[in-house]
Amino acid sequence: MRTSTRAHKKHFAPFVLITSATLLLTACGSGSGGPADAAGVAAQADKIPTTDVVSGIGKDASAAGLLPSGVKSLTVAVSVGGTPPGTAYLSDGKTLTGQDVDFTKAVAKVLGIELKVEQASFDAILPALDSGKYDFGASNFGVTDERRKTVDFVTYVNDGQGFAARKDSKLSKVTDLKQLCGLNVATGAGTTFEATLEENEKVCTDAGKKAYKVQTYAESSAIWSSVQQGRSDVVMSTINGLRYAVAHQQGLKFLNEYHRLDVGFAFKKGTKLAPAFQAAVDKLIADGTYEKILKKWGTTGSAIEKSRISPPELKN
């Protein structure tokens, strides 16, 4: 049986460029770690890094010059997932923060544009890009060949897929999905993880074993609650999100990296915005801001040397 707890879409009122300290976006997307209850959310919110690594960034004329004529403001769709390095609320319960937050803010600063932010469920963002409802999405979107058929990406980190479970789990290092046979697997709705599990759903029955059950959730906090309470046996999510969750929640263990993926800002296919965003990311890499953002969120292992536009899916 598949469980779905998809959240209703909300909207943030438009706000001016990311110069305000309260203007924080969201990350999430492919699923990040999250606490098991509201008390856990509050406790972890107090531990979220708040170092300002982007306010001093100035506009880069070269990168900004690559924007289509007349572009001064863009609408970005974001999805709130749970805890860093994905999207999270600070202790005020209102201000959003996370790794993707900082990268989105930083790119906007380099390009000298204002951002109008709208919140949506992760699985609703990519389909809405083609209609022009949003100019781009910033929610830890993994670059896959299937997505590249309808979406353009500008990469800024390398993350990917992995597994985690409770420490009392008999699972150790998961290298084959057949190790999940007979188990309940929790993951994010509309993610690459859900797609991977669905594409390989026959591996167990083909091997004469009981199939695994996929349980999808719209929020990572619900995923971790399911695992902590024993309703799910294992989580499939982002490598960075899993490592963060294991480091900040008791009773969990990281099983392993399963498949690396590039992560990028998502745009309508054929967008003219991609060259400017690519130049902005490369500018951040060159001036050292990029490294500061990764160090803030403890994700230096996800660094890339150069941004790319819609590269082929990594096959590893």
Side-chain angles (χ1 to χ4, degrees), residues 240-288:
N240 288 334
L242 293 172
R243 289 189 184 280
Y244 187 95
V246 169
H248 292 82
Q249 293 188 55
Q250 294 183 351
L252 298 175
K253 62 181 179 181
F254 180 72
L255 299 180
N256 78 299
E257 296 184 8
Y258 180 71
H259 177 43
R260 278 274 174 178
L261 287 173
D262 287 316
V263 170
F265 299 111
F267 303 83
K268 177 181 179 180
K269 192 71 177 176
T271 181
K272 295 182 179 180
L273 296 170
F277 273 69
Q278 180 188 36
V281 174
D282 285 343
K283 171 65 176 176
L284 296 171
I285 293 173
D287 70 15

Side-chain angles (χ1 to χ4, degrees), residues 156-266:
Y156 56 95
V157 292
N158 174 276
D159 192 352
Q161 304 175 336
F163 294 96
R166 295 184 305 277
K167 282 188 175 180
D168 61 3
S169 172
K170 295 181 180 179
L171 289 171
S172 54
K173 184 177 182 179
V174 176
T175 58
D176 190 319
L177 294 183
K178 288 194 289 291
Q179 293 173 258
L180 306 178
C181 295
L183 301 180
N184 294 325
V185 186
T187 195
T191 62
T192 61
F193 321 115
E194 181 183 14
T196 296
L197 291 167
E198 289 183 343
E199 289 168 3
N200 294 278
E201 60 185 355
K202 292 185 178 180
V203 296
C204 294
T205 53
D206 287 350
K209 299 181 179 181
K210 183 179 179 181
Y212 53 70
K213 296 180 180 179
V214 183
Q215 300 170 313
T216 60
Y217 299 88
E219 297 179 356
S220 58
S221 56
I223 292 175
W224 291 111
S225 177
S226 179
V227 172
Q228 296 281 26
Q229 295 173 14
R231 289 179 281 110
S232 300
D233 301 298
V234 61
V235 174
M236 187 178 189
S237 189
T238 65
I239 294 167
N240 288 334
L242 293 172
R243 289 189 184 280
Y244 187 95
V246 169
H248 292 82
Q249 293 188 55
Q250 294 183 351
L252 298 175
K253 62 181 179 181
F254 180 72
L255 299 180
N256 78 299
E257 296 184 8
Y258 180 71
H259 177 43
R260 278 274 174 178
L261 287 173
D262 287 316
V263 170
F265 299 111

